[in-house]
Amino acid sequence: MALKSKLGGAVGLLALMGAFQPAAAEELTVAYFLEWPMPFQYAKAKGLYDEALGMKVNWVSFDTGTAMSAAMASGDVQIAVSQGVPPFVVATSAGQDLQIVDVAVSYSENDNCVVAEKLEIDKDSASELAGKKVGVPIGTAAHYGFLKQMEHFGVDIGTMDIVDMAPPDGAAAFAQGSLDMVCGWGGALRRMKEHGNVLLTGAEKEELGILVFDVTSAPADFIAEESDTLSKFLKVTADANAMWNSGDNTAEMLPVIAKDAGMSEDDTSSTMATFVFPSVEDQLSVKWLGGGSQEFMKGVAEVFVNAGSIPSARDSYDGAVDTSALGAAANM
């Protein structure tokens, strides 16, 4: 199916879904990714969220950020941790009333596209990707990176056979030789690299303006009606990040995070070494939620519009960020 129609269908689905219905106060359901190790998982495994919020927190794993958006639209999920900015932009551009409440993680080496080793294509011969078959999780950070890289190399994506695939599925198909190129993140990306090579490093992507970071997002109704609950949630997350960032607690936290993420300790350590978990102060700065993220989202939306992936962008994404709960968490 064509890229435009695949993403268009996802946009239509999100636009048609009903308004969020607040969850019962005694329980909260949170979305997250497996094989994507983060400090919050230490707090999750230790029951610190339940303790701080005074309620049961249910955790549900997802394969893509677009699926997280759909789950929040249906009311099945109240908070999504580490949702990619591109799927967030797709959802909010389609009219879904989601808002960013914090910056979950910044990464550039851990989200990329890999070319099959048999093709022997690198950045100097990237034009040879025209006409090739690619597995891409549509509407995600990996999708955005793919579009920007192809734009940089002058490859017409209209010539490519683009298949919408979640990273674990893409990695499996790539290993079987069914794809010429595949895009993804985390554990799936590590498996992809066993059978190919990246075109650009994380630093090279950043030079092209391909920033890669995830956010914590939630429906606007939930943020407004459960502000205290959300502030307490973000406080636990911020404390776990600070605990990890200090460097003094690695031995205690690493095995817990690895087990919760479904990974080995070695893979968890190497993955988290490529992650940056900004402090609350940093998150509230101009670089991030004080303006930088809003500007970046506008750029992401325009790339998707130009690629024919979404029909239109919002005039501004300022209203897609709400830092009130994060600010309150900073004072707890």
Side-chain angles (χ1 to χ4, degrees):
M1 186 177 289
L3 173 71
K4 183 175 181 180
S5 61
K6 284 292 291 184
L7 189 52
V11 170
L13 174 64
L14 291 169
L16 289 172
M17 285 184 173
F20 167 77
Q21 298 297 320
E26 55 271 3
E27 288 196 9
L28 185 70
T29 301
V30 182
Y32 75 108
F33 291 119
L34 289 174
E35 292 192 291
W36 196 242
M38 298 173 64
F40 84 85
Q41 290 174 279
Y42 175 82
K44 167 183 176 292
K46 294 293 185 180
L48 300 183
Y49 286 99
D50 302 62
E51 180 181 334
L53 274 61
M55 67 176 70
K56 178 176 174 55
V57 180
N58 303 304
W59 297 85
V60 183
S61 64
F62 285 78
D63 285 331
T64 66
T66 50
M68 288 179 171
S69 294
M72 286 188 284
S74 68
D76 293 334
V77 163
Q78 288 78 58
I79 300 173
V81 176
S82 208
Q83 181 179 35
V85 171
F88 177 86
V89 168
V90 168
T92 54
S93 298
Q96 188 175 351
D97 201 4
L98 295 178
Q99 292 179 318
I100 291 171
V101 296
D102 83 0
V103 176
V105 58
S106 175
Y107 55 99
S108 58
E109 292 290 356
N110 227 316
D111 188 302
N112 216 331
C113 297
V114 181
V115 181
E117 57 188 357
K118 64 183 179 183
L119 298 178
E120 297 183 347
I121 294 175
D122 58 20
K123 62 184 179 182
D124 296 321
S125 56
S127 61
E128 296 176 24
L129 288 170
K132 297 296 189 288
K133 187 174 183 178
V134 189
V136 182
I138 301 300
T140 66
H143 176 207
Y144 173 69
F146 163 73
L147 292 176
K148 290 289 286 185
Q149 288 191 58
M150 294 305 97
E151 178 184 273
H152 170 68
F153 289 118
V155 178
D156 181 2
I157 62 172
T159 68
M160 307 178 86
D161 180 6
I162 300 173
V163 184
D164 185 7
M165 302 185 78
D169 297 330
F174 194 57
Q176 295 168 0
S178 302
L179 299 170
D180 299 310
M181 184 178 184
V182 65
C183 305
W185 56 79
L189 177 60
R190 284 196 306 277
R191 294 191 292 276
M192 294 169 188
K193 288 181 177 179
E194 294 173 4
H195 306 282
N197 59 279
V198 299
L199 297 174
L200 297 173
T201 66
E204 289 172 331
K205 288 190 300 174
E206 288 182 352
E207 289 178 5
L208 299 178
I210 306 176
L211 302 178
V212 187
F213 63 99
D214 287 358
V215 301
T216 299
S217 60
D221 285 352
F222 174 79
I223 295 170
E225 297 177 21
E226 299 289 346
S227 59
D228 186 56
T229 296
L230 180 58
S231 295
K232 291 176 180 177
F233 182 92
L234 296 179
K235 170 62 173 174
V236 175
T237 301
D239 287 348
N241 286 343
M243 186 177 176
W244 176 265
N245 288 340
S246 73
D248 298 329
N249 305 289
T250 304
E252 177 185 351
M253 297 179 75
L254 183 63
V256 177
I257 295 171
K259 182 178 179 180
D260 193 76
M263 300 168 64
S264 70
E265 289 186 30
D266 285 345
D267 285 346
T268 298
S269 180
S270 60
T271 295
M272 294 183 74
T274 68
F275 286 173
V276 175
F277 304 102
S279 67
V280 172
E281 182 181 6
D282 286 343
Q283 292 176 52
L284 293 172
S285 71
V286 173
K287 176 181 178 179
W288 293 111
L289 301 182
S293 296
Q294 293 88 325
E295 182 179 345
F296 179 70
M297 284 191 282
K298 181 66 172 176
V300 170
E302 289 174 351
V303 167
F304 281 155
V305 170
N306 292 336
S309 303
I310 60 175
S312 62
R314 293 168 59 160
D315 292 337
S316 169
Y317 288 84
D318 290 347
V321 175
D322 187 329
T323 60
S324 58
L326 187 62
N331 295 317
M332 285 182 171

